[in-house]
Amino acid sequence: QTIRGLDLPTYDGAGLRIGIVSARWNSIVCDSLVAGAVEALRSCNVSDITIEHVAGSYEIPQAAQVLLDSGRFDGVICIGCLIKGGTMHFEYISEAVTQGIMRLNLDYKVPVIYGILGCLNEEQAKERAGVDGAGHNSGKDWGITAVESCLLTKKYRKVLGS
Amino acid sequence: QTIRGLDLPTYDGAGLRIGIVSARWNSIVCDSLVAGAVEALRSCNVSDITIEHVAGSYEIPQAAQVLLDSGRFDGVICIGCLIKGGTMHFEYISEAVTQGIMRLNLDYKVPVIYGILGCLNEEQAKERAGVDGAGHNSGKDWGITAVESCLLTKKYRKVLGS
Amino acid sequence: QTIRGLDLPTYDGAGLRIGIVSARWNSIVCDSLVAGAVEALRSCNVSDITIEHVAGSYEIPQAAQVLLDSGRFDGVICIGCLIKGGTMHFEYISEAVTQGIMRLNLDYKVPVIYGILGCLNEEQAKERAGVDGAGHNSGKDWGITAVESCLLTKKYRKVLGS
Amino acid sequence: QTIRGLDLPTYDGAGLRIGIVSARWNSIVCDSLVAGAVEALRSCNVSDITIEHVAGSYEIPQAAQVLLDSGRFDGVICIGCLIKGGTMHFEYISEAVTQGIMRLNLDYKVPVIYGILGCLNEEQAKERAGVDGAGHNSGKDWGITAVESCLLTKKYRKVLGS
Amino acid sequence: QTIRGLDLPTYDGAGLRIGIVSARWNSIVCDSLVAGAVEALRSCNVSDITIEHVAGSYEIPQAAQVLLDSGRFDGVICIGCLIKGGTMHFEYISEAVTQGIMRLNLDYKVPVIYGILGCLNEEQAKERAGVDGAGHNSGKDWGITAVESCLLTKKYRKVLGS
């Protein structure tokens, strides 16, 4: 019996405003992940959802920041799909994007969810995006994750009266 | 005879306010680590302990920051359990979380304890969390570590009269 | 059938001011990438294009920043070609440059496109730069990527009236 | 004949105030390194030496910052001993601590010496700490290194009259 | 026929003030690199050259910052030689130094040239430093690189009238 897994409670995210920034690279995968995130957000009563696109995962942090600077979002979900290729592009991009999104979390003090797959081959990407009916769509986890983190953030902000 | 090991003195942490942010992923492991940390904190006379949850380890730094911004905590313990999977998710998440928590230490100038296991398999996670009676519960170390670092911080702040 | 690939829409970048900073190292590759980026920018109606050079990829972030500080550019494309050599120079340079360009994106809040090849040998570099008629010229992707990200940035800035 | 090695001149560090932050983990090694650093500092006429402890190397940057914030130190030496274990703890801790101490150097503009061993086994740690009479005690290098860097810093500060 | 290589134009660096910070570790290599950089700077008509030393490469960013803070330099060249040893010291130091120097470039907005060799053995270091008449002295590239980047920086500053 595995100890692994994520068992998320149900949350009521009514009133939350969520932005999604998705990469266009490997769009079959990304589109499925975005759909999963949207489905999960709606299941938590989130209705204010904005979706924007950029070319690749490296462009996501800057775009997410543009959304955050608008003040129109309580949280942002970053969705991309990096797949290992022949060069070292995958490794350096992956590292910089993962740290760039972390920086946004700490600079803006709101949840910026990391929905970037870092796969070694196409099969892994399909399985984690629920493409062709394969595997679990991780986008669903990210939608609920966003709601939970936004609610925690709001709870502490309320205490502060800010 | 090994040179390895940690031999911590006994500390009196009475009056310290400690926050714990735990991930839900692999909750059997995380719950045990949290219990170990709480037990250690209480053994140091810490009674003001707040526990919050987020979905995964990547969400921990932002949540820890929310707690820190509230001004209600002298230190925060971050608890999570990352286990190597088929993709490179583990590697990039681990790096960004470890550096994100380090940033919080230096941005907020209070101890933000790194209690994230970075395991190659489930057995390693169980052993380090004392699950199923296996191994030592690292959470206990982190509780005492938090108290020691908080006391050192207070000692120097007192000198400064701040 | 592969799930990989990038299918970019057509954009109208008329009025955008784009800077390109290219490394001189491995100039056959870099010159071809720059030519590809310029061609793509022009196909999007971008006519205000400035090209500057520095010696190597490590020098690019500082030079890109100089351009950004001038206030004369809506976005910058960074073009370089790092090839694995006998020492570890490639690995450390690649990492620092990738993260340095990410920092510029977030510090300046404008698109700073990552056009640095990280190749294990010369053949990989040629293939990705369209040198000797081989492969696809990635510079073309970067030109269109720059336009898309600049337009997204402008759209949100306009909403803010800033 | 090797080209490797460090041949440090003799320095007069009279009047310098040096803090040392040491980890408790693997204290046989750390204590020896601290003793070596103190011996070297005294040989450079440094008499104002303060030693503080934290549990592990990850806690060192925050503690070093507390010392730096006190304004009572011209430089700080960070001493710890990380040894590779079964999980990836070693790798992520090592990276974050090395970069955290670098951040302190640049944030505080005073020398914060990196005295963290990153060993693959216990023998390497003993050899570099002069434990059991084995090898050279690296702590001695770090003591002199601290003095040299502090003197260089003072020289340029004096020119500025600050 | 290789596509690799660097073909730098000739620059007139008259009036530029350049600082060089060199490590003492492996001084045969570092001294040769410094000599190469100085020779190249002089060939570009740079006469205001200041050379300072610190113990190791890790100490270089803090020392380079001290020089930059003095306001007396248009650019700084960082010279060091890291050679892989038995522990992981090489890897972590290399990464932190490479990123620390990148930070200086972006914090100070002047060229801080990366002249740190990251070698797997002594032969690689000798070959890249022109020691014993072996190979090309990379220091020469770094001297010209510094001049080019300083001139680009000045060109854009002049436009701004700052």
Side-chain angles (χ1 to χ4, degrees), chain E residues 72-110:
Chain E
R72 292 197 53 254
F73 301 96
D74 297 304
V76 171
I77 303 174
C78 299
I79 289 178
C81 173
L82 291 161
I83 304 178
K84 174 66 182 153
T87 73
M88 295 297 285
H89 202 64
F90 169 80
E91 282 82 356
Y92 296 113
I93 293 273
S94 294
E95 188 181 13
V97 171
T98 315
Q99 301 224 27
I101 294 174
M102 182 58 74
R103 174 174 160 179
L104 290 179
N105 273 279
L106 301 186
D107 280 2
Y108 285 84
K109 303 183 175 182
V110 298

Side-chain angles (χ1 to χ4, degrees), chain C residues 24 26 58 95 103 122, chain E residues 2 5 95 98 107 148 155:
Chain C
R24 291 185 192 281
N26 312 322
Y58 194 88
E95 188 181 14
R103 173 174 160 181
E122 299 187 19
Chain E
T2 184
E95 188 181 13
T98 315
D107 280 2
E148 179 181 43
K155 186 176 83 168

